[in-house]
Amino acid sequence: MDTLQRAVDFCIRHQTTLSFSIVSLLTAASERVFSYVVFKCPCNSENLVYGYSFLLAPAFVLLLLGYMMNARTWRLFTGMCSPEKHPQYCSWRTWAHFCQLFVPMTAKASVAPLTWIAVALLGANFYECAASGSNMTAQLFCKNKGNYSQEQLYKMPCDEELAAAMSSVCLSFHAQSQLIGWFLIVNIMALALISTCVTHCFSPVSYLQFKFWKIYSRKEHKLFETKAKEHANKLAERNTNCFFEATDPAPFPTPSNEDWQKVSVSYTFNSQSQYYSVLHKYVNTNRGNDAEFQEEGQDLNVIEFVDEAQPSVSGL
C-alpha cells in the first residue's frame, strides 16, 4: 500500500511531464503505424504533395486537437465576442493579456505535432517521397551524384532495384531528413529549457510558496467540481420535484450571471495581494464588488506553471 501511495504521489507531482511523455510516445507510435501501414508513395508527379501532406497535415490536426483539449482555450474564448463584453475587449491591455496567455497555450498544444514531425523526419519515409518529387531538391542535392532523370526519381521510393542503383541519392535524402529532424529536436529542447529557466528566474514567488500554490490550485479545483455537482444535483432535484408535485419552488440561492462571469476570468498574479486564484480574490473582495477585484496583476508566468496541475477539458 505504501508503494502504491508513493507511486500515486509521484504521478501527481510529475503529471505534466508524464502527460507530455505519454502524448509524445502515442504520437510516435501513431507515426510509425501511418508510415508502414497507411503511407504509400504514389511514385509519380504527386510525390511532393503526397509526402509533405503526410508530414504536415497530421501535425496540423494534432495542433488543433491540442487546442481543443486544453481547458484554458475554452475559458479564454467563451463569451469573448458577446455584445456585453465587446467594449471590454477592445483595449490594448486586454489583447496583450490575451497574447500572453495564447503563447503558452500554443507551446503546450505543439508537443504532439512537433513530435510527429520530428519522428517522421527521423524515419525519412515521408521526406524521401516528397524530395523525390521535387526537381529543385534533386538539382540542389544530387547534381554531383550522377545523371538521373526526373522519372527515375519519381519511382525510386517504390522500386528497390532502382533505389539500390541510385543509393547515393537515396542516402542523401535520408541524411537530409534525419539532419533536419535532429536539428528540430535540439532546437525544441533548447528553447523549452531556456524559456523554463527564464520564467522561473523571473518568478515573483519563492520555490516553497510556488509548491503551496500548486497544492492549493489542485485542491480548489477538486472541491469546486465536487461542490458544483452537489449544487447542480440539488437544483435539479428541486425543479423536478416541483414539476411532478405541482408545487411552488422554495428559495434556492445560486450564483448570478455576474458572479459566474467574475470567477471565470483568467487570473493574473499581483504581488501586492496574496491571492492564489480568481475565486480566492472574489471571496476576499466582497464577492468581487470592491475596486481591488478589478485591478489586474502583471505576472502571468507563475500562473502558467500553477495551471499545469489543472486537468484538461475533460475536467470541465
Side-chain angles (χ1 to χ4, degrees):
M1 183 62 68
D2 292 339
T3 303
L4 179 60
Q5 184 61 43
R6 285 196 294 270
V8 172
D9 292 339
F10 176 85
C11 292
I12 292 175
R13 288 196 304 271
H14 303 281
Q15 59 180 314
T16 301
T17 303
L18 291 174
S19 62
F20 284 163
S21 300
I22 293 173
V23 168
S24 298
L25 289 174
L26 291 176
T27 303
S30 300
E31 191 281 331
R32 291 292 83 193
V33 171
F34 267 72
S35 180
Y36 290 107
V37 178
V38 180
F39 180 76
K40 302 294 181 183
C41 188
C43 295
N44 54 36
S45 59
E46 298 177 358
N47 283 11
L48 180 65
V49 175
Y50 189 81
Y52 280 128
S53 294
F54 269 80
L55 181 64
L56 301 177
F60 182 70
V61 172
L62 289 172
L63 178 65
L64 297 181
L65 287 175
Y67 283 125
M68 292 172 61
M69 295 302 295
N70 192 335
R72 169 163 288 186
T73 302
W74 308 115
R75 184 168 189 171
L76 188 62
F77 283 97
T78 300
M80 184 176 182
C81 297
S82 62
E84 294 81 3
K85 298 174 65 175
H86 180 71
Q88 176 185 352
Y89 281 88
C90 292
S91 66
W92 68 268
R93 183 186 293 274
T94 301
W95 283 105
H97 177 73
F98 174 85
C99 292
Q100 285 181 291
L101 293 173
F102 189 75
V103 170
M105 282 168 47
T106 302
K108 293 178 182 179
S110 300
V111 173
L114 290 176
T115 300
W116 176 279
I117 294 175
V119 174
L121 288 171
L122 293 178
N125 288 352
F126 301 156
Y127 182 85
E128 180 185 9
C129 180
S132 66
S134 171
N135 189 36
M136 182 182 298
T137 304
Q139 292 179 358
L140 180 62
F141 293 102
C142 306
K143 60 183 179 181
N144 297 323
K145 300 181 183 298
N147 295 319
Y148 308 113
S149 67
Q150 188 68 61
E151 289 297 326
Q152 287 178 307
L153 288 176
Y154 286 158
K155 297 177 180 178
M156 184 185 66
C158 305
D159 192 329
E160 294 183 2
E161 294 183 2
L162 184 59
M166 303 173 63
S167 59
S168 59
V169 179
C170 187
L171 291 174
S172 178
F173 286 161
H174 276 256
Q176 295 164 25
S177 180
Q178 292 172 347
L179 284 174
I180 296 173
W182 281 115
F183 181 79
L184 178 64
I185 292 173
V186 169
N187 278 272
I188 292 172
M189 297 302 296
L191 182 62
L193 177 61
I194 292 172
S195 61
T196 302
C197 290
V198 170
T199 303
H200 277 281
C201 286
F202 286 93
S203 172
V205 298
S206 64
Y207 176 74
L208 291 179
Q209 186 180 5
F210 176 66
K211 289 188 66 175
F212 170 81
W213 196 342
K214 294 186 73 172
I215 294 171
Y216 170 83
S217 183
R218 286 195 296 266
K219 294 295 184 181
E220 182 192 87
H221 182 89
K222 184 177 180 180
L223 291 173
F224 185 91
E225 185 172 331
T226 301
K227 186 65 177 179
K229 290 179 180 178
E230 293 176 356
H231 192 82
N233 183 68
K234 292 178 181 178
L235 180 59
E237 184 177 4
R238 186 205 69 163
N239 294 338
T240 305
N241 290 337
C242 290
F243 173 76
F244 283 103
E245 297 171 4
T247 57
D248 294 330
F252 191 90
T254 191
S256 64
N257 290 340
E258 183 181 2
D259 292 333
W260 282 112
Q261 183 61 50
K262 289 178 179 178
V263 300
S264 296
V265 298
S266 297
Y267 176 65
T268 53
F269 178 73
N270 190 330
S271 57
Q272 304 300 320
S273 304
Q274 194 167 332
Y275 301 126
Y276 294 109
S277 70
V278 66
L279 184 61
H280 186 192
K281 188 175 184 179
Y282 169 86
V283 171
N284 286 273
T285 55
N286 188 24
R287 297 175 59 191
N289 293 320
D290 292 349
E292 183 183 2
F293 185 83
Q294 304 301 328
E295 296 177 359
E296 293 189 2
Q298 301 297 325
D299 299 305
L300 293 174
N301 48 5
V302 173
I303 306 301
E304 295 305 322
F305 286 100
V306 171
D307 280 355
E308 288 179 358
Q310 300 298 337
S312 65
V313 72
S314 60
L316 288 176

